[in-house]
Coordinates of all heavy atoms in Angstrom, one line a residue:
M2 N 131.8 109.9 96.6 CA 131.0 110.9 96.0 C 129.7 110.4 95.5 O 128.8 111.1 95.1 CB 131.7 111.4 94.8 CG 132.8 112.5 95.0 SD 133.2 113.1 93.4 CE 133.8 114.6 93.9
S3 N 129.4 109.1 95.6 CA 128.2 108.6 95.0 C 127.1 108.6 96.1 O 127.4 108.6 97.3 CB 128.4 107.1 94.5 OG 128.8 106.3 95.6
D4 N 125.9 108.6 95.6 CA 124.7 108.6 96.5 C 124.0 107.3 96.3 O 123.4 107.1 95.2 CB 123.8 109.8 96.1 CG 122.6 109.9 96.9 OD1 122.4 109.0 97.8 OD2 121.8 110.8 96.7
P5 N 124.1 106.4 97.2 CA 123.5 105.1 97.0 C 122.0 105.1 96.8 O 121.4 104.1 96.3 CB 123.9 104.3 98.3 CG 124.2 105.3 99.3 CD 124.7 106.6 98.6
D6 N 121.3 106.1 97.3 CA 119.9 106.2 97.1 C 119.4 106.7 95.8 O 118.3 106.7 95.4 CB 119.2 107.1 98.2 CG 119.5 106.5 99.6 OD1 119.5 105.3 99.7 OD2 119.6 107.3 100.5
H7 N 120.4 107.2 95.0 CA 120.0 107.8 93.7 C 120.3 106.8 92.6 O 121.4 106.4 92.4 CB 120.9 109.1 93.5 CG 120.6 109.8 92.1 ND1 119.3 110.0 91.7 CD2 121.4 110.2 91.2 CE1 119.4 110.6 90.5 NE2 120.7 110.7 90.2
Q8 N 119.3 106.5 91.8 CA 119.4 105.6 90.7 C 119.6 106.5 89.4 O 118.8 107.3 89.0 CB 118.2 104.8 90.5 CG 118.2 103.8 89.4 CD 119.2 102.6 89.7 OE1 119.7 102.5 90.8 NE2 119.5 101.8 88.7
A9 N 120.8 106.4 88.8 CA 121.1 107.2 87.6 C 120.3 106.7 86.5 O 120.1 105.5 86.2 CB 122.6 107.0 87.3
P10 N 119.7 107.7 85.7 CA 119.0 107.4 84.5 C 119.9 106.7 83.5 O 121.1 106.9 83.5 CB 118.5 108.7 84.0 CG 118.7 109.7 85.1 CD 119.8 109.1 86.0
D11 N 119.3 105.9 82.7 CA 120.0 105.2 81.6 C 120.0 106.0 80.3 O 118.9 106.2 79.7 CB 119.4 103.8 81.4 CG 120.2 103.0 80.3 OD1 121.3 103.5 79.9 OD2 119.6 102.0 79.9
F12 N 121.1 106.6 80.0 CA 121.2 107.4 78.8 C 121.9 106.6 77.7 O 122.5 107.2 76.8 CB 122.0 108.7 79.0 CG 121.2 109.6 79.9 CD1 121.7 109.9 81.2 CD2 120.1 110.3 79.5 CE1 121.0 110.7 82.1 CE2 119.4 111.1 80.4 CZ 119.9 111.4 81.6
S13 N 121.9 105.3 77.8 CA 122.7 104.5 76.8 C 122.1 104.5 75.4 O 122.8 104.2 74.5 CB 122.8 103.0 77.3 OG 121.5 102.5 77.4
G14 N 120.9 104.8 75.2 CA 120.3 104.8 73.9 C 120.4 106.1 73.2 O 119.4 106.6 72.6
L15 N 121.5 106.7 73.2 CA 121.7 108.1 72.7 C 121.5 108.2 71.2 O 121.0 109.2 70.7 CB 123.2 108.6 73.0 CG 123.5 108.8 74.4 CD1 125.0 109.2 74.6 CD2 122.6 109.8 75.1
D16 N 121.8 107.1 70.4 CA 121.7 107.2 69.0 C 120.2 107.2 68.5 O 119.9 107.9 67.5 CB 122.4 106.0 68.3 CG 123.9 106.0 68.6 OD1 124.4 107.1 68.8 OD2 124.5 105.0 68.5
G17 N 119.3 106.6 69.2 CA 118.0 106.5 68.7 C 117.0 107.6 69.2 O 115.9 107.7 68.7
G18 N 117.4 108.4 70.1 CA 116.5 109.4 70.6 C 116.9 110.8 70.2 O 117.7 111.0 69.3
D19 N 116.2 111.8 70.7 CA 116.4 113.2 70.4 C 117.6 113.6 71.1 O 117.6 113.7 72.4 CB 115.2 114.0 70.8 CG 115.4 115.5 70.5 OD1 116.0 116.1 71.3 OD2 114.9 115.9 69.4
A20 N 118.7 113.9 70.4 CA 120.0 114.2 71.0 C 119.9 115.5 72.0 O 120.5 115.5 73.0 CB 121.1 114.5 70.0
Y21 N 119.1 116.4 71.6 CA 119.0 117.7 72.4 C 118.3 117.4 73.7 O 118.8 117.8 74.7 CB 118.2 118.7 71.6 CG 119.0 119.2 70.4 CD1 118.7 118.7 69.1 CD2 120.0 120.2 70.5 CE1 119.4 119.2 68.0 CE2 120.7 120.6 69.4 CZ 120.4 120.1 68.1 OH 121.0 120.6 67.1
Q22 N 117.2 116.6 73.7 CA 116.5 116.3 74.9 C 117.3 115.4 75.8 O 117.4 115.6 77.0 CB 115.2 115.7 74.6 CG 114.3 115.5 75.9 CD 114.0 116.8 76.5 OE1 113.5 117.7 75.9 NE2 114.2 116.9 77.8
T23 N 118.0 114.5 75.2 CA 118.9 113.6 76.0 C 120.0 114.4 76.6 O 120.3 114.1 77.8 CB 119.4 112.5 75.0 OG1 118.3 111.8 74.4 CG2 120.3 111.5 75.8
A24 N 120.6 115.3 75.9 CA 121.7 116.1 76.4 C 121.2 117.0 77.5 O 121.8 117.0 78.6 CB 122.3 116.9 75.3
E25 N 120.0 117.6 77.3 CA 119.5 118.5 78.4 C 119.2 117.7 79.6 O 119.5 118.1 80.7 CB 118.2 119.1 77.9 CG 117.6 120.1 78.9 CD 116.4 120.8 78.4 OE1 116.2 120.9 77.1 OE2 115.7 121.4 79.2
D26 N 118.6 116.5 79.5 CA 118.3 115.7 80.6 C 119.6 115.3 81.4 O 119.6 115.4 82.6 CB 117.5 114.4 80.2 CG 116.1 114.7 79.7 OD1 115.6 115.8 79.9 OD2 115.6 113.8 79.1
A27 N 120.6 114.9 80.6 CA 121.8 114.4 81.3 C 122.5 115.6 82.0 O 123.0 115.4 83.1 CB 122.8 113.8 80.2
V28 N 122.6 116.7 81.3 CA 123.3 117.9 81.9 C 122.5 118.3 83.2 O 123.2 118.6 84.2 CB 123.3 119.1 80.9 CG1 123.8 120.3 81.5 CG2 124.2 118.7 79.7
R29 N 121.2 118.4 83.1 CA 120.5 118.8 84.3 C 120.6 117.8 85.4 O 120.6 118.2 86.6 CB 119.0 119.0 83.9 CG 118.9 120.2 83.0 CD 117.5 120.9 83.0 NE 117.4 121.9 82.1 CZ 117.9 123.1 82.2 NH1 118.5 123.4 83.3 NH2 117.8 124.1 81.3
E30 N 120.7 116.5 85.1 CA 120.9 115.5 86.2 C 122.2 115.8 86.9 O 122.3 115.7 88.1 CB 120.9 114.1 85.6 CG 119.5 113.6 85.4 CD 118.8 113.1 86.6 OE1 119.4 112.7 87.6 OE2 117.5 113.2 86.6
V31 N 123.3 116.0 86.1 CA 124.6 116.3 86.7 C 124.6 117.6 87.5 O 125.1 117.6 88.6 CB 125.7 116.4 85.6 CG1 127.0 116.9 86.1 CG2 125.9 115.0 84.9
A32 N 124.0 118.6 87.0 CA 123.9 119.9 87.7 C 123.1 119.7 89.0 O 123.5 120.2 90.1 CB 123.2 121.0 86.8
G33 N 122.1 118.9 89.0 CA 121.3 118.6 90.2 C 122.1 117.8 91.2 O 122.0 118.0 92.4
W34 N 123.0 116.9 90.7 CA 123.8 116.1 91.6 C 124.8 117.1 92.3 O 125.0 117.0 93.5 CB 124.6 115.1 90.8 CG 125.4 114.2 91.7 CD1 125.0 113.0 92.3 CD2 126.8 114.4 92.2 NE1 126.0 112.5 93.0 CE2 127.1 113.3 93.0 CE3 127.7 115.4 91.9 CZ2 128.4 113.2 93.6 CZ3 129.0 115.3 92.5 CH2 129.3 114.2 93.4
Y35 N 125.4 118.0 91.5 CA 126.3 119.0 92.1 C 125.6 119.9 93.2 O 126.1 120.1 94.3 CB 126.9 119.9 91.1 CG 128.0 119.2 90.3 CD1 128.0 119.3 88.9 CD2 129.0 118.4 90.8 CE1 129.0 118.7 88.1 CE2 129.9 117.8 90.1 CZ 129.9 117.9 88.7 OH 130.9 117.3 87.9
S36 N 124.3 120.3 92.9 CA 123.6 121.1 93.8 C 123.3 120.3 95.1 O 123.5 120.9 96.2 CB 122.2 121.5 93.2 OG 122.4 122.4 92.1
A37 N 123.0 119.0 95.0 CA 122.7 118.2 96.2 C 124.0 118.1 97.0 O 123.9 118.1 98.3 CB 122.2 116.9 95.8
Q38 N 125.1 117.9 96.4 CA 126.4 117.8 97.1 C 126.8 119.1 97.8 O 127.3 119.1 98.9 CB 127.5 117.4 96.1 CG 127.3 116.0 95.6 CD 127.2 114.9 96.6 OE1 128.1 114.8 97.5 NE2 126.2 114.2 96.6
I39 N 126.5 120.2 97.1 CA 126.7 121.6 97.8 C 125.9 121.7 99.0 O 126.5 122.1 100.1 CB 126.4 122.7 96.8 CG1 127.4 122.7 95.6 CG2 126.4 124.1 97.5 CD1 127.0 123.6 94.4
I40 N 124.7 121.3 99.0 CA 123.8 121.4 100.2 C 124.3 120.5 101.3 O 124.4 120.9 102.4 CB 122.3 121.1 99.8 CG1 121.8 122.2 98.9 CG2 121.5 120.8 101.0 CD1 120.5 121.8 98.2
A41 N 124.7 119.3 100.9 CA 125.2 118.3 101.9 C 126.5 118.8 102.5 O 126.7 118.7 103.7 CB 125.4 116.9 101.2
E42 N 127.4 119.4 101.7 CA 128.6 119.9 102.3 C 128.4 121.1 103.2 O 129.0 121.2 104.3 CB 129.6 120.3 101.1 CG 130.9 120.7 101.6 CD 131.7 119.6 102.3 OE1 131.7 118.4 101.9 OE2 132.3 119.9 103.4
R43 N 127.5 121.9 102.8 CA 127.1 123.1 103.7 C 126.5 122.7 105.0 O 126.7 123.4 106.0 CB 126.2 124.0 103.0 CG 126.8 124.8 101.9 CD 125.8 125.8 101.3 NE 126.4 126.6 100.3 CZ 125.7 127.3 99.4 NH1 124.4 127.2 99.4 NH2 126.3 128.1 98.5
R44 N 125.9 121.5 105.1 CA 125.3 121.0 106.3 C 126.3 120.3 107.2 O 125.9 120.0 108.3 CB 124.1 120.1 106.0 CG 123.0 120.8 105.4 CD 121.8 119.9 105.1 NE 120.7 120.6 104.6 CZ 119.7 120.1 103.9 NH1 119.7 118.8 103.7 NH2 118.7 120.8 103.5
Q45 N 127.5 120.1 106.7 CA 128.5 119.5 107.6 C 128.8 120.4 108.8 O 128.7 121.7 108.6 CB 129.8 119.2 106.8 CG 129.6 118.2 105.7 CD 129.3 116.9 106.2 OE1 129.8 116.4 107.2 NE2 128.3 116.2 105.6
P46 N 129.3 119.9 109.9 CA 129.6 120.7 111.0 C 130.7 121.7 110.7 O 130.7 122.9 111.1 CB 130.1 119.7 112.1 CG 129.5 118.4 111.7 CD 129.3 118.4 110.2
V47 N 131.7 121.3 109.8 CA 132.7 122.2 109.3 C 132.8 122.0 107.8 O 133.5 121.2 107.3 CB 134.1 121.9 110.0 CG1 135.1 122.8 109.5 CG2 134.0 121.9 111.5
P48 N 132.0 122.8 107.1 CA 132.0 122.7 105.6 C 133.4 123.0 105.0 O 134.1 123.8 105.5 CB 131.0 123.7 105.2 CG 130.2 124.1 106.4 CD 131.1 123.9 107.6
D49 N 133.7 122.2 104.0 CA 134.9 122.4 103.2 C 134.6 123.4 102.1 O 134.0 123.1 101.1 CB 135.4 121.1 102.6 CG 136.7 121.2 101.9 OD1 137.1 122.3 101.5 OD2 137.3 120.1 101.7
D50 N 135.1 124.7 102.4 CA 134.8 125.8 101.5 C 135.4 125.5 100.1 O 134.8 125.9 99.1 CB 135.3 127.1 102.0 CG 134.5 127.5 103.3 OD1 133.3 127.1 103.4 OD2 135.1 128.3 104.1
E51 N 136.5 124.9 100.0 CA 137.2 124.6 98.7 C 136.3 123.6 97.9 O 136.1 123.7 96.7 CB 138.6 124.0 98.9 CG 139.6 125.1 99.3 CD 141.0 124.5 99.4 OE1 141.3 123.6 98.7 OE2 141.7 125.1 100.2
R52 N 135.8 122.6 98.6 CA 134.9 121.6 98.0 C 133.6 122.3 97.5 O 133.2 122.0 96.4 CB 134.6 120.5 98.9 CG 133.6 119.4 98.3 CD 133.6 118.1 99.0 NE 132.4 117.3 98.8 CZ 132.2 116.7 97.6 NH1 133.0 116.8 96.6 NH2 131.1 116.0 97.5
V53 N 133.1 123.1 98.3 CA 131.8 123.8 97.9 C 132.1 124.7 96.6 O 131.3 124.6 95.7 CB 131.3 124.7 99.0 CG1 130.2 125.7 98.5 CG2 130.8 123.9 100.2
Q54 N 133.2 125.4 96.6 CA 133.6 126.2 95.4 C 133.8 125.3 94.2 O 133.3 125.7 93.1 CB 134.8 127.1 95.7 CG 135.0 128.1 94.6 CD 133.9 129.0 94.4 OE1 133.4 129.6 95.3 NE2 133.4 129.1 93.1
E55 N 134.5 124.2 94.4 CA 134.7 123.3 93.2 C 133.4 122.8 92.7 O 133.1 122.7 91.5 CB 135.6 122.1 93.7 CG 135.8 121.1 92.5 CD 136.6 119.9 93.0 OE1 137.3 120.0 94.0 OE2 136.5 118.9 92.3
L56 N 132.5 122.4 93.6 CA 131.2 121.9 93.2 C 130.4 123.0 92.5 O 129.7 122.7 91.5 CB 130.4 121.4 94.4 CG 130.9 120.1 95.0 CD1 130.3 119.9 96.4 CD2 130.7 118.9 94.1
R57 N 130.4 124.2 93.0 CA 129.7 125.3 92.4 C 130.3 125.6 91.0 O 129.5 125.8 90.0 CB 130.0 126.6 93.2 CG 129.1 126.8 94.3 CD 129.4 128.1 95.0 NE 128.5 128.4 96.1 CZ 128.7 129.3 96.9 NH1 129.7 130.2 96.8 NH2 127.8 129.5 97.9
D58 N 131.6 125.5 90.8 CA 132.2 125.8 89.5 C 131.8 124.7 88.5 O 131.4 125.0 87.4 CB 133.7 125.8 89.6 CG 134.3 127.0 90.4 OD1 133.5 128.0 90.6 OD2 135.5 126.9 90.8
R59 N 131.7 123.5 88.9 CA 131.3 122.4 88.1 C 129.8 122.5 87.7 O 129.4 122.2 86.6 CB 131.6 121.0 88.7 CG 133.1 120.8 88.7 CD 133.5 119.5 89.4 NE 134.9 119.3 89.5 CZ 135.5 118.2 89.3 NH1 134.8 117.1 89.1 NH2 136.8 118.1 89.4
R60 N 129.0 122.9 88.7 CA 127.6 123.1 88.4 C 127.4 124.2 87.4 O 126.6 124.1 86.5 CB 126.8 123.4 89.7 CG 125.3 123.6 89.5 CD 124.6 124.0 90.7 NE 125.1 125.3 91.2 CZ 124.8 125.8 92.4 NH1 124.0 125.1 93.2 NH2 125.3 126.9 92.8
E61 N 128.2 125.3 87.6 CA 128.0 126.4 86.6 C 128.4 126.0 85.2 O 127.8 126.4 84.2 CB 128.9 127.6 87.1 CG 128.3 128.3 88.3 CD 126.8 128.7 88.1 OE1 126.5 129.3 87.1 OE2 126.0 128.4 89.0
T62 N 129.5 125.2 85.1 CA 129.9 124.7 83.8 C 128.8 123.8 83.2 O 128.5 124.0 82.0 CB 131.2 123.8 83.9 OG1 132.2 124.6 84.4 CG2 131.6 123.2 82.6
A63 N 128.1 123.0 84.0 CA 127.0 122.2 83.5 C 125.9 123.1 83.0 O 125.3 122.8 81.9 CB 126.6 121.2 84.5
L64 N 125.5 124.1 83.8 CA 124.4 124.9 83.4 C 124.7 125.7 82.2 O 123.9 126.0 81.4 CB 124.1 125.9 84.6 CG 123.5 125.1 85.8 CD1 123.3 126.1 87.0 CD2 122.2 124.4 85.5
A65 N 126.0 126.1 82.0 CA 126.4 126.9 80.8 C 126.3 125.9 79.6 O 125.8 126.4 78.5 CB 127.8 127.4 80.9
D66 N 126.6 124.7 79.8 CA 126.5 123.7 78.7 C 125.0 123.5 78.3 O 124.6 123.4 77.2 CB 127.2 122.4 79.0 CG 128.7 122.4 78.9 OD1 129.2 123.3 78.2 OD2 129.3 121.5 79.4
A67 N 124.2 123.5 79.4 CA 122.7 123.3 79.1 C 122.2 124.5 78.3 O 121.4 124.4 77.4 CB 122.0 123.2 80.4
A68 N 122.7 125.7 78.6 CA 122.2 126.9 77.9 C 122.7 126.9 76.5 O 122.0 127.3 75.6 CB 122.7 128.2 78.6
R69 N 123.9 126.3 76.2 CA 124.5 126.3 74.9 C 123.7 125.3 74.0 O 123.8 125.4 72.8 CB 125.9 125.7 74.9 CG 127.0 126.7 75.3 CD 128.4 126.2 75.1 NE 128.6 124.8 75.2 CZ 129.1 124.1 74.3 NH1 129.4 124.5 73.1 NH2 129.4 122.8 74.5
L70 N 123.0 124.4 74.6 CA 122.2 123.4 73.7 C 121.3 124.1 72.8 O 120.9 123.5 71.7 CB 121.5 122.5 74.6 CG 122.3 121.4 75.3 CD1 121.6 120.6 76.3 CD2 122.9 120.5 74.2
T71 N 120.9 125.3 73.0 CA 120.0 126.0 72.1 C 120.7 126.5 70.8 O 120.0 126.9 69.9 CB 119.3 127.2 72.8 OG1 120.2 128.1 73.2 CG2 118.4 126.7 73.9
T72 N 122.0 126.5 70.9 CA 122.8 127.0 69.7 C 123.7 126.0 69.0 O 124.3 126.4 68.1 CB 123.6 128.2 70.2 OG1 124.6 127.7 71.2 CG2 122.8 129.3 70.8
V73 N 123.8 124.8 69.5 CA 124.7 123.8 68.9 C 124.0 122.9 67.9 O 122.7 122.8 68.0 CB 125.4 123.0 70.0 CG1 126.2 123.8 71.0 CG2 124.4 122.1 70.8
G74 N 124.7 122.3 67.1 CA 124.2 121.3 66.1 C 124.0 120.0 66.8 O 124.4 119.7 67.9
P75 N 123.4 119.1 66.0 CA 123.1 117.7 66.5 C 124.3 116.9 66.9 O 124.3 116.2 67.9 CB 122.4 117.0 65.4 CG 122.3 117.9 64.3 CD 122.9 119.2 64.7
D76 N 125.5 117.1 66.2 CA 126.7 116.4 66.6 C 127.2 116.8 68.0 O 127.6 116.0 68.8 CB 127.8 116.6 65.6 CG 127.5 115.9 64.3 OD1 126.6 114.9 64.3 OD2 128.1 116.2 63.3
E77 N 127.2 118.2 68.2 CA 127.6 118.7 69.5 C 126.6 118.3 70.6 O 127.0 118.0 71.7 CB 127.8 120.2 69.5 CG 128.2 120.8 70.8 CD 129.6 120.4 71.3 OE1 130.3 119.7 70.6 OE2 130.0 120.9 72.4
A78 N 125.3 118.3 70.3 CA 124.3 117.8 71.3 C 124.6 116.4 71.7 O 124.5 116.0 72.8 CB 122.9 118.0 70.7
S79 N 124.9 115.6 70.7 CA 125.2 114.1 71.0 C 126.4 114.0 71.8 O 126.5 113.2 72.7 CB 125.3 113.4 69.7 OG 124.1 113.3 69.0
R80 N 127.4 114.8 71.5 CA 128.7 114.8 72.2 C 128.4 115.2 73.7 O 128.9 114.5 74.6 CB 129.7 115.7 71.6 CG 131.1 115.6 72.3 CD 132.1 116.7 71.8 NE 131.7 117.9 72.4 CZ 132.0 118.3 73.7 NH1 132.6 117.5 74.5 NH2 131.7 119.5 74.1
L81 N 127.7 116.2 73.9 CA 127.4 116.7 75.3 C 126.5 115.6 76.0 O 126.7 115.4 77.2 CB 126.7 118.0 75.3 CG 127.5 119.2 74.9 CD1 126.7 120.5 74.7 CD2 128.5 119.4 76.0
A82 N 125.6 115.0 75.3 CA 124.8 113.9 75.9 C 125.7 112.8 76.4 O 125.5 112.3 77.5 CB 123.7 113.4 74.9
A83 N 126.6 112.4 75.6 CA 127.5 111.3 75.9 C 128.4 111.7 77.1 O 128.6 110.9 78.0 CB 128.3 110.8 74.7
L84 N 128.9 112.9 77.0 CA 129.8 113.4 78.0 C 129.1 113.4 79.4 O 129.7 112.9 80.4 CB 130.3 114.8 77.7 CG 131.2 115.5 78.7 CD1 132.5 114.9 78.8 CD2 131.2 117.0 78.4
Y85 N 127.9 114.0 79.4 CA 127.2 114.1 80.7 C 126.6 112.8 81.2 O 126.5 112.6 82.4 CB 126.2 115.3 80.7 CG 126.9 116.6 80.9 CD1 127.3 117.4 79.8 CD2 127.1 117.1 82.1 CE1 128.0 118.6 80.0 CE2 127.8 118.3 82.4 CZ 128.2 119.0 81.3 OH 128.9 120.2 81.5
A86 N 126.3 111.9 80.3 CA 125.8 110.6 80.7 C 126.9 109.9 81.4 O 126.8 109.2 82.4 CB 125.3 109.8 79.5
A87 N 128.1 110.0 80.8 CA 129.3 109.3 81.4 C 129.6 109.9 82.8 O 130.0 109.2 83.7 CB 130.5 109.4 80.5
R88 N 129.6 111.3 82.8 CA 129.9 111.9 84.1 C 128.9 111.6 85.2 O 129.3 111.3 86.3 CB 129.9 113.5 83.9 CG 130.3 114.2 85.1 CD 130.7 115.6 84.9 NE 131.8 115.7 84.0 CZ 132.0 116.7 83.1 NH1 131.1 117.7 83.1 NH2 133.0 116.7 82.3
L89 N 127.6 111.5 84.8 CA 126.6 111.1 85.8 C 126.8 109.7 86.3 O 126.7 109.5 87.5 CB 125.2 111.2 85.2 CG 124.0 111.0 86.1 CD1 124.0 112.0 87.3 CD2 122.7 111.0 85.4
K90 N 127.2 108.8 85.4 CA 127.5 107.5 85.8 C 128.7 107.4 86.8 O 128.6 106.8 87.8 CB 127.8 106.6 84.5 CG 128.0 105.2 84.8 CD 128.1 104.4 83.5 CE 128.3 102.9 83.9 NZ 128.5 102.1 82.6
E91 N 129.7 108.2 86.4 CA 130.9 108.3 87.3 C 130.5 108.8 88.7 O 131.0 108.3 89.7 CB 131.9 109.2 86.6 CG 133.2 109.4 87.4 CD 134.0 110.4 86.7 OE1 134.4 110.2 85.5 OE2 134.3 111.5 87.3
L92 N 129.7 109.8 88.7 CA 129.3 110.5 90.0 C 128.4 109.6 90.9 O 128.5 109.7 92.1 CB 128.7 111.8 89.7 CG 129.5 112.9 89.1 CD1 128.6 114.1 88.7 CD2 130.6 113.3 90.0
T93 N 127.6 108.8 90.2 CA 126.5 108.1 91.0 C 126.8 106.6 91.2 O 126.1 106.0 92.1 CB 125.2 108.3 90.3 OG1 125.2 107.7 89.0 CG2 124.8 109.7 90.3
E94 N 127.8 106.1 90.5 CA 128.0 104.6 90.8 C 128.9 104.5 92.0 O 129.9 105.3 92.2 CB 128.7 104.0 89.5 CG 127.7 103.7 88.5 CD 128.2 102.8 87.4 OE1 129.4 102.6 87.3 OE2 127.4 102.4 86.6
P95 N 128.7 103.4 92.8 CA 129.5 103.2 94.0 C 130.9 102.8 93.7 O 131.3 102.4 92.6 CB 128.8 102.1 94.7 CG 127.6 101.7 93.9 CD 127.6 102.5 92.7

């Protein structure tokens, strides 16, 4: 599932920065990764429709979390930042 050409941003400094911006950046990176995977799967000679749907569902969850960032407190923003930073690392590391 990893893309060797994509260098994952480093979100390790979550405590010292703006939690909302960090969370937004991490969530959007993950949503972008899912979008790229959807495109790649659709370009396959025989696309896996189940995989495309799973990727779409996960992207929609990420986008919903991004939209929620305008209504959550700093603790939830920090939690989402950490969650999506870890997910991005998991998705992009070989």
Side-chain angles (χ1 to χ4, degrees):
M2 278 189 155
S3 64
D4 179 358
D6 296 330
H7 179 50
Q8 183 70 11
D11 180 11
F12 293 110
S13 61
L15 296 177
D16 294 335
D19 181 277
Y21 294 98
Q22 186 62 52
T23 302
E25 184 177 340
D26 291 346
V28 172
R29 293 203 184 281
E30 282 284 330
V31 169
W34 186 91
Y35 288 133
S36 293
Q38 294 303 306
I39 291 166
I40 291 167
E42 186 62 42
R43 285 183 176 162
R44 290 181 176 162
Q45 295 296 317
V47 181
D49 182 339
D50 291 335
E51 286 181 30
R52 177 164 163 71
V53 169
Q54 188 58 51
E55 179 183 339
L56 291 164
R57 280 183 176 169
D58 292 345
R59 290 179 183 215
R60 180 184 62 190
E61 289 306 312
T62 298
L64 294 174
D66 283 341
R69 278 188 335 118
L70 283 170
T71 61
T72 63
V73 300
D76 289 343
E77 179 65 2
S79 291
R80 186 190 74 77
L81 287 170
L84 173 75
Y85 278 93
R88 184 165 301 149
L89 184 61
K90 185 176 181 179
E91 175 185 302
L92 293 171
T93 58
E94 283 192 347

